[in-house]
Amino acid sequence: MRALRILRRSIRDSFKSIFRNFSLSMASIICITITLILVALSMFLSYNVNQITTSLEQELTIVVYLDKDVTSENKKEIENDLKTMENVEEYKIKSKDEWKAEMGKENETLEHALKYFEENPLLDSIIVKVKNVNDLKETAEKLRKYDFVQSAEYGEGMVESIISVFDVISIGTFGIVIALIVVTFFLISNTIKLTIFSRKTQIEIKRLVGASNAAIKIPFVFEGFILGIFGSIIPILLSIYGYTILYNETGGYIYTKIITLVKPFPFVLVVSLVLLVIGSFVGMIGSWLSVRKHLKI
Amino acid sequence: MKLIKVEHAYKIYKNGTTAVADLSVSIDKGEFVFVIGSTGSGKSTFIKMLYREEKPTSGIVNVGGIDVAKLRNSKVYKLRRRLGVVFQDFKLLPKLTVYENVAFALETLGLTNNEIRPKVLKAIDAVGLKEKARNLPSELSGGEQQRVAIARAIVNEPRLLICDEPTGNLDPETSKEIMTILDRINKESETTIIMATHDKELVNKMKKRVLVIENGVLVSDTKKGSYKVHESVKDSKKKYS
Ligand SMILES: Nc1ncnc2c1ncn2[C@@H]1O[C@H](COP(=O)(O)OP(=O)(O)OP(=O)(O)O)[C@@H](O)[C@H]1O
Ligand SMILES: [Mg+2]
């Protein structure tokens, strides 16, 4: 009970101090706000990008076109090899007739054009799904070595570059966020330092009348905590409303069906929680460091 | 019963200044003791060791059974809760009223408002400031401000009250008022009082125990002493050294 009363009085003191040092508190709060908005943006971005990359990766296939005069022995040979290749997830034979039927369905002109050929001009093929994108190139090279393989194609370059651009973006935002967190620490420590100085007599009297060290330190740590909470309000509102609106406006897709947004709920709630935790922890740790440095007790 | 026991205490500051040297003294419960000496003689340093603002460099300083030298930083508050301290510069919080300034001490200790109220009123009454309880320090005279500080120091009913030149900023008339209050606190609640001062007149009039410190050394300790004793001791010490 006694500890609870000390806690309650500490919270009261923290609020008083925040309003007394208003401009400095505002600076800290704004800094936390900016940091957390960026954290939120990078979380939305990286989570969605992860989603995109996994769906891209799932799509990753090599199309192996076989020569016109391929024999059924040849087909058996390559099928046997495919079964033992490590990077091959699964494969499917797609004959030239299947191709013809599919193309005809998609495009009428093509259907007409294909009718003019006596013999099907398309090639038999095998569609190979790989396990690992990074070994995609290697696997394709292997398949090209067969005499009866005309070509083995995949979205060369395109896929890798999309993934690496996303990587660069998320590493970049991560770097900016870390830098901002450091700046925020610094600002909060300074805010707390000044409130410590402005309450010097108060601290001195507290020590004289026998307040325990914890009772003296708690108001300052609380102050940092409250600054962190205040700083996370706007980012949380922006996340919840901003993302939900974006999702509803776009119908969950950006540009094409390739980029699918993650459903807002419970995703935004998780993001909000993370923001709140980061904000309050940065606030508390920042002030704790300051208290340790400037209150030599 | 001994409340304070100091044995061969030394205080050497980090810059090499020896502020207190080989000081031994013991003080009984309920005593009223003056500590006098010229400026820079080590009065404040001696007093600071009693409430563990400074640690003795060597020797023993025992206050109410607590060995001050061995007291860890995190446990200092246990000593402080048993004593009250009053300074020359009052150390009041300017934005709090008289009542709040006195209550502040108990609030930080976590007492309930119901526990705090009667204690604070009693302490304010003891220093004769009942009518001014709602005033801010800036609305009070120097003597009244010092009385608030005394009320804050005694509100937790300590066994020991330490005063470092409490009348240093006050005129003789007001100083007398403060002494009357301190004397009454000493007699009525058997609170031990230790007071450092420069004021010869006060010391001579009060006829209390007097410790004289010169250059950090305790040169005289007399019951019902006066400043005169101090002068003679000083002379003899000069011849001696
Ligand atoms: N924190 C400190 N660091 C170094 N030296 C100090 C410190 N405090 C006091 N001293 C020195 O110790 C000696 C004793 O100082 P102290 O304050 O105890 O004297 P005093 O008797 O209280 O003087 P006054 O009557 O002026 O208050 C002085 O020489 C002073 O300069
Ligand atoms: Mg002094």
Side-chain angles (χ1 to χ4, degrees):
Chain A
M1 273 319 285
R2 173 170 288 220
L4 222 67
R5 277 192 295 276
I6 291 176
L7 213 65
R8 209 185 56 224
R9 285 168 183 149
S10 297
I11 297 172
R12 185 195 61 192
D13 284 355
S14 313
F15 274 105
K16 271 190 196 162
S17 171
I18 286 174
F19 287 110
R20 230 166 252 164
N21 305 289
F22 189 73
S23 52
L24 217 78
S25 306
M26 271 324 275
S28 297
I29 290 173
I30 289 169
C31 200
I32 295 176
T33 302
I34 295 171
T35 310
L36 291 183
I37 287 175
L38 277 166
V39 171
L41 276 179
S42 69
M43 277 179 74
F44 284 123
L45 207 72
S46 66
Y47 197 77
N48 277 308
V49 163
N50 263 339
Q51 197 79 348
I52 294 162
T53 4
T54 32
S55 63
L56 273 177
E57 280 171 5
Q58 278 165 2
E59 296 291 309
L60 278 180
T61 48
I62 303 170
V63 184
V64 182
Y65 291 103
L66 304 173
D67 276 342
K68 225 173 172 52
D69 47 4
V70 67
T71 61
S72 52
E73 280 87 47
N74 291 151
K75 283 185 193 168
K76 276 223 176 79
E77 183 191 344
I78 195 165
E79 267 193 71
N80 279 335
D81 288 353
L82 278 169
K83 273 176 196 152
T84 58
M85 268 190 218
E86 248 178 59
N87 198 29
V88 173
E89 173 88 26
E90 56 177 356
Y91 68 89
K92 210 180 89 197
I93 309 259
K94 199 168 181 181
S95 70
K96 50 189 176 188
D97 296 328
E98 283 173 78
W99 276 112
K100 190 178 171 182
E102 194 177 291
M103 280 175 162
K105 239 184 250 165
E106 274 178 17
N107 194 317
E108 264 180 60
T109 332
L110 254 174
E111 192 182 5
H112 280 290
L114 286 169
K115 272 186 186 159
Y116 285 98
F117 290 92
E118 219 159 87
E119 206 180 324
N120 189 344
L122 301 171
L123 299 171
D124 285 330
S125 64
I126 308 172
I127 294 176
V128 180
K129 208 169 211 174
V130 297
K131 281 179 187 154
N132 188 348
V133 209
N134 297 327
D135 299 334
L136 184 66
K137 198 174 169 184
E138 205 180 303
T139 309
E141 295 290 344
K142 247 185 223 165
L143 292 169
R144 278 179 193 139
K145 285 207 180 105
Y146 293 92
D147 290 336
F148 51 88
V149 166
Q150 194 173 54
S151 66
E153 288 165 12
Y154 61 97
E156 238 161 319
M158 196 269 281
V159 172
E160 283 112 324
S161 63
I162 288 177
I163 292 174
S164 70
V165 164
F166 286 157
D167 276 351
V168 169
I169 291 173
S170 46
I171 288 170
T173 36
F174 188 71
I176 293 171
V177 164
I178 293 290
L180 272 165
I181 285 179
V182 171
V183 172
T184 312
F185 264 129
F186 185 74
L187 255 168
I188 287 176
S189 296
N190 260 306
T191 309
I192 300 300
K193 181 176 97 185
L194 279 166
T195 69
I196 287 173
F197 285 156
S198 73
R199 281 192 271 172
K200 235 183 158 126
T201 338
Q202 203 182 331
I203 294 165
E204 195 188 348
I205 295 166
K206 278 191 184 182
R207 296 182 61 191
L208 276 174
V209 301
S212 65
N213 286 351
I216 293 172
K217 286 172 181 170
I218 285 171
F220 298 102
V221 177
F222 249 111
E223 196 171 329
F225 179 74
I226 294 167
L227 290 177
I229 299 282
F230 277 172
S232 56
I233 291 174
I234 292 175
I236 285 175
L237 292 180
L238 274 181
S239 301
I240 293 176
Y241 289 105
Y243 188 77
T244 314
I245 288 169
L246 177 78
Y247 187 87
N248 290 339
E249 289 292 306
T250 58
Y253 298 111
I254 291 178
Y255 298 124
T256 61
K257 289 205 169 183
I258 302 177
I259 303 178
T260 321
L261 294 177
V262 186
K263 283 211 176 64
F265 291 95
F267 180 46
V268 288
L269 297 182
V270 175
V271 172
S272 301
L273 195 70
V274 171
L275 293 180
L276 198 68
V277 168
I278 293 180
S280 51
F281 264 77
V282 167
M284 277 201 294
I285 294 167
S287 62
W288 177 252
L289 293 177
S290 191
V291 164
R292 275 192 46 168
K293 195 170 158 197
H294 298 288
L295 278 184
K296 290 188 183 97
I297 49 177
Chain B
M1 210 204 99
K2 299 272 174 280
L3 182 68
I4 294 170
K5 222 162 134 188
V6 179
E7 283 171 13
H8 307 293
Y10 281 80
K11 178 65 198 181
I12 300 161
Y13 283 112
K14 280 201 189 85
N15 64 5
T17 312
T18 304
V20 167
D22 197 23
L23 195 147
S24 298
V25 70
S26 61
I27 294 168
D28 282 344
K29 199 166 170 273
E31 274 196 273
F32 194 127
V33 183
F34 283 114
V35 179
I36 63 174
S38 53
T39 180
S41 57
K43 303 184 293 293
S44 295
T45 304
F46 166 60
I47 275 181
K48 280 177 183 168
M49 287 195 290
L50 296 180
Y51 64 93
R52 178 55 167 74
E53 185 65 20
E54 297 289 351
K55 250 183 174 175
T57 312
S58 66
I60 294 172
V61 175
N62 192 306
V63 177
I66 295 175
D67 187 341
V68 170
K70 286 190 186 137
L71 195 60
R72 279 192 290 137
N73 269 343
S74 57
K75 297 282 178 248
V76 169
Y77 71 92
K78 291 193 170 173
L79 172 67
R80 299 279 170 88
R81 282 180 190 184
R82 298 187 184 185
L83 50 82
V85 196
V86 175
F87 299 93
Q88 187 171 358
D89 60 352
F90 319 141
K91 295 194 199 295
L92 299 177
L93 295 169
K95 283 176 184 163
L96 300 187
T97 65
V98 168
Y99 180 92
E100 288 164 345
N101 260 290
V102 179
F104 180 80
L106 299 176
E107 277 190 9
T108 50
L109 303 184
L111 273 68
T112 67
N113 289 332
N114 286 339
E115 289 167 340
I116 291 173
R117 201 172 161 74
K119 282 178 185 254
V120 173
L121 292 178
K122 191 179 162 200
I124 290 177
D125 197 28
V127 297
L129 278 180
K130 225 175 179 176
E131 267 74 58
K132 307 261 177 169
R134 287 166 192 275
N135 289 49
L136 291 172
S138 56
E139 297 161 349
L140 302 178
S141 72
E144 287 168 334
Q145 289 185 49
Q146 190 59 295
R147 273 143 69 184
V148 178
I150 293 170
R152 184 180 61 200
I154 61 167
V155 69
N156 207 15
E157 296 175 353
R159 286 193 289 161
L160 173 64
L161 183 59
I162 295 173
C163 311
D164 195 351
E165 305 199 30
T167 59
N169 278 344
L170 306 174
D171 59 64
E173 204 51 42
T174 319
S175 301
K176 244 181 259 166
E177 282 172 33
I178 297 293
M179 289 319 296
T180 312
I181 289 168
L182 290 179
D183 199 29
R184 197 172 56 224
I185 291 168
N186 171 242
K187 287 197 173 112
E188 280 178 7
S189 56
E190 289 216 326
T191 308
T192 310
I193 297 185
I194 298 177
M195 172 172 159
T197 185
H198 272 131
D199 196 326
K200 288 181 197 189
E201 246 181 87
L202 277 186
V203 176
N204 290 340
K205 247 185 73 190
M206 297 285 291
K207 301 263 180 284
K208 304 283 187 190
R209 183 176 173 190
V210 177
L211 304 178
V212 185
I213 298 180
E214 277 311 326
N215 294 318
V217 179
L218 180 67
V219 291
S220 145
D221 178 356
T222 41
K223 301 269 175 201
K224 300 194 189 282
S226 69
Y227 230 93
K228 281 179 208 122
V229 179
H230 156 47
E231 302 295 344
S232 64
V233 167
K234 205 172 157 191
D235 291 343
S236 68
K237 194 189 151 212
K238 259 180 199 154
K239 277 178 235 152
Y240 181 70
S241 57

